[in-house]
Amino acid sequence: MERKNPANLFVCDCITKALFKLMKKKEYHNIKISELVNTAGVSRNSFYRNYQSTEEILREYLVLKTTEWWSNFMRHPEKYSHVISEMFQHFLNMKEEIDLIYQAGLSYLLMEHIFHFSKESLNGEIQNVYKTAFLSGGLWGLINEWVLRGMKETPDEMEQFFLNQTQDLNNT
């Protein structure tokens, strides 16, 4: 859901920050809406006016952060010669939040997110649809394994892994 009202944006930001704060302290599935809104300093109505679930908060957070990153990237593409390493850097910048999402058993939210953003760039030709699905799956696999291993490799190293795998596929 796209939000434009500054007061509404503020409320959503408070709710998102409160959710991550609570996720640091306790298991995600034990967080109650009443506890979330109390921590956020907003009313229960504010929560339900903006969200249907806590998962929706996390989905929206991922979309917001990726949209910000992509907008910056597209404004100055000359500054970034390697879109894949920049994408890994983007996820590395969200390491704490992504770790919390994984600890909550919600890694599928990141997978859905990657596939969603990959599909947005399609032009509808069947060849592009399958190619994008294939590359998104490979990218998801790399990102997932990287997160599970603690994001120890640099974004440049991860880009090289990705490029090596796509080259290997082209050579077979």
Side-chain angles (χ1 to χ4, degrees), residues 64-91 93 117 121 155-156 159:
L64 176 69
K65 291 299 182 183
T66 299
T67 301
E68 287 173 4
W69 166 73
W70 188 250
S71 294
N72 288 333
F73 183 84
M74 291 309 291
R75 256 185 257 129
H76 304 287
E78 71 284 354
K79 290 170 106 176
Y80 311 104
S81 57
H82 301 279
V83 67
I84 300 297
S85 66
E86 292 297 329
M87 183 203 52
F88 276 96
Q89 183 61 54
H90 162 65
F91 289 125
N93 292 343
F117 266 86
S121 64
D156 288 339
E159 178 182 52

Side-chain angles (χ1 to χ4, degrees), residues 85-99 143 146-147 150-156 158:
S85 66
E86 292 297 329
M87 183 203 52
F88 276 96
Q89 183 61 54
H90 162 65
F91 289 125
L92 185 58
N93 292 343
M94 296 189 303
K95 182 181 186 329
E96 184 177 356
E97 293 82 2
I98 289 172
D99 285 344
I143 292 169
W146 183 55
V147 171
M151 297 180 166
K152 293 176 184 156
E153 292 79 13
T154 68
D156 288 339
M158 294 309 298

Side-chain angles (χ1 to χ4, degrees), residues 1 5-6 12 31 37 57 63 94 119 128 137 157 165 168:
M1 175 187 294
N5 180 314
C12 292
I31 297 171
V37 296
I57 298 167
V63 168
M94 296 189 303
K119 286 182 178 182
N128 288 336
E157 290 172 317
Q165 297 311 307
D168 288 349

